Amino acid sequence: MKVAVIGTGYVGLTTAISLAMHGHEVVGIDLVEAKIKMLRQGQSPIYEPGLEEALAAVLQQGVLTFTTDLLEAKESEVLFVCVGTPESADGTADLSYLLASVSEIGTLHRSVPRARTVVIKSTVPVGTGDRVAGLLGDCKSLFVVSNPEFLREGNALVDALKPSRIVIGANHDEAKAVMERLYDGIAAPRVLTTRANAELIKYASNAFLATRISFMNELARLSTVLGTDILTVAHGMGLDSRIGPDFLRAGVGYGGSCFPKDTIALLQLAQEQGVSLNLLDKVRQINRTQPLWFLQLVKNAIPELKGKQIALLGLAFKPDTDDIREAPALAIIEELQRCGASIRAYDPIASSAVQKIFPGVSYCGTPAEACQGAHAALLVTEWKECVQLPWDEIYANMAHPALFDGRNAWPVKEVREAGFHYTGVGRS
Ligand SMILES: NC(=O)c1ccc[n+]([C@@H]2O[C@H](COP(=O)([O-])OP(=O)(O)OC[C@H]3O[C@@H](n4cnc5c(N)ncnc54)[C@H](O)[C@@H]3O)[C@@H](O)[C@H]2O)c1
């Protein structure tokens, strides 16, 4: 099928490549010329494992092209909308990019009418699909579908090629049939439902995952006081098939482009309907305070941070991505700087993005370099480069051998044997 993907960020680019790999003829469209130029040359503007190799393959096969001109999508039977829906000042989802894109689709359709399905992949509040359908109401043979995306950054291509489920919110049988044809050959459970249900499935999924994380983080605070081990507790909990092992890791809090903005957008959506989501409100509050709670562990050990050197290992909001949106590292840097500490940071990919926000941090080429002369080293993102370390060398070069493991990922026995003082999140 001929498919257009509007917006070539984390979701759009991955979607475009995976659809091309599944045999569709895809055109990727973005406003940003520099991005399109890079993509045409086979360079990915974002870091995702395997993405650039896959991009090169589909470009070579001629099944994926890129443009800034929506007119090049005039032949496309399916148009995916994958533009950003960031948080507005009041916490609601900012739909301005989405509505601008929809308006451009309307203009295209009115000048070149043909059967088309507009698929909203961006995460949008319940009712947005109906609103878009209303805006395009005069466009004959045009259907609007909600098809939320569940990919995880750092694993995006694998998730797009083998999704956990395909949720299709369509209010017309014709549109459902188009989507079935599009995803034919992809083995994944289907949820065929209304647009509104599909929209809520996305928000509910992210809110629930955020809830699990905040639950474990709050429990880790208790575990720290009790002297119990949150990793063992999580393991014991996760063996219950009703609970399952995923998203039970205590740490420095969740970040990224989705959980923070989607939880506040869901809260705002509920509030507009006169419903209070008290639990979700607490989930966000726990997450906001988690980096500061973690830093309190550091302050307990080093009451005077002024003039001390602190090594931060990992800056991206999670490993295998360059995305720093809402990364806990940002809150940690801000607080450490407020306390007068000087920071030496390492991240294999995300340093240059963080440098634009915090030019006063020293960015180092290796974790060992970041730890040189440090009074404490903090693991903020569990990149494998930040987890498997030459402990004896690091021990010899730190001013004080204190490790604060914000992801419970360092090998406790090994580092203690090397002579470090180790503190994890909720660990005995
Ligand atoms: N990143 C994730 O892990 C993820 C996962 C699932 C869902 N989502 C949702 O998917 C959507 C996109 O997220 P993202 O992380 O890919 O965003 P992003 O910011 O990485 O990419 C959005 C892209 O859209 C482009 N764009 C904006 N307006 C445009 C227009 N009118 N025409 C063409 N291009 C336009 C931007 O230039 C940008 O390249 C959001 O709603 C997000 O919540 C994201």
Side-chain angles (χ1 to χ4, degrees), residues 5-13 29-32 35 46 48 67-68 70 81-86 96-102 104 121-124 148-153 156 202 206 257-258 261-262 317-318 323 325:
V5 176
I6 303 167
T8 59
Y10 289 86
V11 166
L13 181 57
I29 299 155
D30 207 286
L31 291 174
V32 181
K35 248 185 211 186
I46 54 166
E48 265 299 327
T67 179
T68 52
L70 187 64
V81 180
C82 301
V83 301
T85 49
S96 57
Y97 300 100
L98 181 108
L99 295 175
S101 172
V102 166
E104 290 158 27
K121 213 170 226 327
S122 302
T123 303
V124 291
E149 178 56 57
F150 300 96
L151 64 77
R152 296 161 296 174
E153 284 182 24
K202 175 63 195 174
N206 276 358
S257 68
C258 293
K261 81 169 174 66
D262 292 349
F317 88 93
K318 67 172 178 176
D323 201 341
R325 290 178 277 186

Side-chain angles (χ1 to χ4, degrees), residues 124-338:
V124 291
V126 176
T128 305
D130 291 353
R131 184 174 169 195
V132 168
L135 291 170
L136 298 173
D138 63 315
C139 295
K140 291 210 166 49
S141 346
L142 184 147
F143 299 103
V144 177
V145 169
S146 165
N147 174 217
E149 178 56 57
F150 300 96
L151 64 77
R152 296 161 296 174
E153 284 182 24
N155 208 49
L157 188 59
V158 174
D159 286 347
L161 291 170
K162 289 187 183 160
S164 54
R165 72 281 210 196
I166 296 175
V167 175
I168 296 170
N171 296 3
H172 300 90
D173 288 341
E174 294 95 322
K176 282 182 191 157
V178 168
M179 296 306 286
E180 285 287 15
R181 217 158 26 94
L182 182 82
Y183 286 126
D184 188 32
I186 301 185
R190 307 284 203 267
V191 180
L192 282 172
T193 184
T194 61
R195 287 192 291 245
N197 281 343
E199 288 163 343
L200 190 55
I201 287 170
K202 175 63 195 174
Y203 275 118
S205 300
N206 276 358
F208 187 68
L209 292 172
T211 301
R212 283 176 74 116
I213 295 174
S214 278
F215 178 81
M216 292 312 292
N217 283 339
E218 200 172 41
L219 208 63
R221 300 181 191 189
L222 176 64
S223 183
T224 301
V225 179
L226 294 177
T228 46
D229 182 43
I230 198 73
L231 277 188
T232 310
V233 173
H235 176 63
M237 289 167 65
L239 290 171
D240 186 327
S241 61
R242 294 167 303 175
I243 298 175
D246 295 336
F247 277 77
L248 294 181
R249 279 192 87 101
V252 288
Y254 61 76
S257 68
C258 293
F259 290 2
K261 81 169 174 66
D262 292 349
T263 47
I264 182 78
L266 183 56
L267 274 171
Q268 296 297 75
L269 178 75
Q271 200 179 34
E272 281 166 18
Q273 302 301 321
V275 176
S276 301
L277 298 182
N278 298 316
L279 176 59
L280 195 57
D281 203 20
K282 289 287 176 209
V283 164
R284 287 180 51 79
Q285 189 190 324
I286 293 163
N287 195 62
R288 253 197 323 275
T289 51
Q290 190 65 7
L292 301 178
W293 173 85
F294 174 66
L295 280 181
Q296 191 55 50
L297 300 176
V298 181
K299 290 177 190 173
N300 292 346
I302 311 172
E304 181 56 73
L305 280 168
K306 197 163 188 231
K308 300 285 192 314
Q309 286 204 18
I310 306 295
L312 287 195
L313 303 189
L315 299 169
F317 88 93
K318 67 172 178 176
D320 292 321
T321 181
D322 57 350
D323 201 341
I324 60 157
R325 290 178 277 186
E326 304 278 340
L330 307 181
I332 289 175
I333 294 175
E334 202 172 303
E335 177 61 10
L336 284 172
Q337 287 190 332
R338 197 189 63 77

Side-chain angles (χ1 to χ4, degrees), residues 387-421:
V387 171
Q388 294 152 9
L389 296 176
W391 295 113
D392 289 337
E393 179 197 332
I394 288 177
Y395 181 84
N397 292 323
M398 279 179 75
H400 179 70
L403 299 182
F404 293 87
D405 184 354
R407 297 293 181 176
N408 289 340
W410 275 334
V412 184
K413 191 165 173 281
E414 197 181 329
V415 300
R416 285 205 168 130
E417 276 169 10
F420 287 99
H421 302 286

Side-chain angles (χ1 to χ4, degrees), residues 21-35:
M21 289 170 81
H22 276 118
H24 299 297
E25 202 178 307
V26 184
V27 52
I29 299 155
D30 207 286
L31 291 174
V32 181
E33 286 206 20
K35 248 185 211 186

